Amino acid sequence: AAKDLGKNRYAFYKKELTDKAEYRFKIEQYLREAIENQQLSLVYQPKVDIQTGSIIGVEALSRWHHPVLGQVSPVDFIAMAEQIGMIKPLTEWVLKTACNQANLWKEAGFSSLIMAVNISPSHFLDSDLVPLITRVIKETGILPGELELEVTEGVIQTNPENLAVFEHLKQLGVLLSIDDFGVGYSSFASLKHLNVDYLKIDKYFIDDILLDHKAKLLVSSMIEMGHNLEHKITAEGIESKEQYIMLKGLGCDYAQGYFFSKPVSANDVSILLENQ
Ligand code: C2E
Ligand code: MG
Ligand code: MG
Ligand code: MG
């Protein structure tokens, strides 16, 4: 009987796995269609100059709303897009949409805003990235100095090929930033080798900057070190006025977080820009 039970359990387990695989396959199919039919959308989260409080740019963030699945987190669908080989068309769509939006804001008179786009690690290391960025600049007419690429440090290995990608991008004149700085394993190695414009200190450190003296010391040290290496520092995930005041006091350059604005539609950004 025990054997039968085991067998049944196995059968059950196997069926569950198959269902999961089928479910997954379906979601992948939905995502493929969404990318092909451009059913994704972008929201934009303002970045402010911490000393003046004025908006200096925005970060484009992808959103996928599926009629049946509902809102899917970009953390999930970006990873899935990488797995099913759809990250390149996705990134291209994000870049073009974001740059076109940047042009619209410029035409509306909001000049010299910086448009930041996240580039997923695997795509960053792909030889296709530099030609893609070159093409996007040419096709959309965005000034290279108004386009910022955010990449997480975790994958930045300091092998010559990866460093060459950074150098080529710098030669194009785009701005580069290390996203989620401080939580990856190669923070210091990447700083030694990479010529980036911004470090974005991860929300992890900002979260308890008021409560934990060590967190405050770490942030303060990161700001000082970053400045010594001639990087500008952005704090991400600021949710309260007290955090903002503390970071301002620590000499941080830029800030981003729900305290200033959540990621919002292009229209809502226009309203924020008009009101400042
Ligand atoms: P990220 O680039 O580090 O973006 C910051 C994330 O933190 C965003 O989540 C943003 O909505 C959220 N956030 C910002 N301020 C606050 C705050 O004060 N409090 C809290 N709780 N959260 C805050 P989101 O939009 O869900 O994106 C998550 C991640 O997905 C991004 O992290 C980025 O790694 C990735 N992602 C989003 N869009 C794209 C894209 O178009 N391409 C690529 N490659 N990755 C993307
Ligand atoms: Mg980012
Ligand atoms: Mg980040
Ligand atoms: Mg993040």
Side-chain angles (χ1 to χ4, degrees):
K3 202 176 144 201
D4 285 350
L5 197 71
K7 211 169 165 187
N8 280 339
R9 196 176 289 158
Y10 174 71
F12 173 74
Y13 190 60
K14 202 171 143 203
K15 179 168 183 330
E16 252 213 334
L17 272 184
T18 315
D19 286 353
K20 249 189 199 156
E22 258 166 38
Y23 180 67
R24 199 187 156 79
F25 181 74
K26 231 181 223 160
I27 296 180
E28 287 175 358
Q29 192 52 39
Y30 290 154
L31 180 61
R32 198 178 288 278
E33 286 164 10
I35 296 170
E36 275 163 6
N37 304 326
Q38 314 207 326
Q39 288 162 355
L40 304 181
S41 60
L42 290 183
V43 286
Y44 301 90
Q45 188 177 30
K47 294 185 187 179
V48 306
D49 179 317
I50 212 164
Q51 299 306 328
T52 64
S54 62
I55 298 173
I56 54 115
V58 296
E59 175 177 2
L61 294 156
S62 296
R63 293 291 179 263
W64 180 28
H65 182 87
H66 185 270
V68 176
L69 302 171
Q71 201 74 24
V72 183
S73 164
V75 177
D76 296 330
F77 73 75
I78 296 290
M80 200 176 283
E82 289 189 358
Q83 281 160 22
I84 63 173
M86 291 296 283
I87 194 67
K88 288 186 197 179
L90 173 59
T91 308
E92 178 158 1
W93 174 82
V94 173
L95 279 163
K96 285 184 179 164
T97 307
C99 290
N100 287 331
Q101 182 57 53
N103 285 336
L104 290 177
W105 280 321
K106 192 181 253 184
E107 282 162 23
F110 306 118
S111 60
S112 55
L113 288 176
I114 295 170
M115 176 61 76
V117 171
N118 292 284
I119 304 293
S120 79
S122 67
H123 195 182
F124 205 88
L125 306 180
D126 195 288
S127 60
D128 169 64
L129 187 67
V130 174
L132 172 61
I133 300 296
T134 310
R135 200 162 69 240
V136 165
I137 290 171
K138 202 171 157 201
E139 283 178 16
T140 65
I142 193 168
L143 295 175
E146 293 176 355
L147 176 61
E148 174 187 344
L149 305 179
E150 297 190 6
V151 66
T152 53
E153 51 166 339
V155 284
I156 299 160
Q157 270 119 45
T158 47
N159 72 45
E161 271 164 70
N162 300 347
L163 296 179
V165 172
F166 267 88
E167 283 315 310
H168 283 145
L169 291 169
K170 284 270 47 153
Q171 280 162 22
L172 290 179
V174 298
L175 301 164
L176 299 174
S177 60
I178 305 281
D179 204 349
D180 304 346
F181 183 76
V183 294
Y185 63 85
S186 66
S187 317
F188 289 94
S190 45
L191 283 187
K192 180 165 178 274
H193 291 278
L194 299 175
N195 173 16
V196 297
D197 300 279
Y198 306 104
L199 304 181
K200 293 187 74 177
I201 299 179
D202 197 84
K203 181 176 183 298
Y204 172 81
F205 299 98
I206 308 303
D207 274 345
D208 49 16
I209 192 174
L210 298 168
L211 313 166
D212 180 354
H213 191 59
K214 269 193 189 165
K216 183 185 170 185
L217 285 176
L218 279 168
V219 169
S220 163
S221 305
M222 283 191 260
I223 293 170
E224 195 189 334
M225 177 193 63
H227 282 165
N228 286 338
L229 294 170
E230 293 177 356
H231 306 299
K232 295 284 188 187
I233 314 293
T234 307
E236 64 176 20
I238 296 182
E239 293 182 344
S240 73
K241 186 171 189 179
E242 291 75 19
Q243 289 172 322
Y244 168 52
I245 289 169
M246 176 165 287
L247 284 155
K248 191 173 177 179
L250 292 176
C252 190
D253 301 289
Y254 305 111
Q256 198 179 9
Y258 291 177
F259 174 64
F260 306 100
S261 171
K262 287 194 170 182
V264 293
S265 68
N267 253 335
D268 287 350
V269 172
S270 301
I271 293 168
L272 290 173
L273 289 168
E274 268 159 27
N275 290 339
Q276 76 169 9

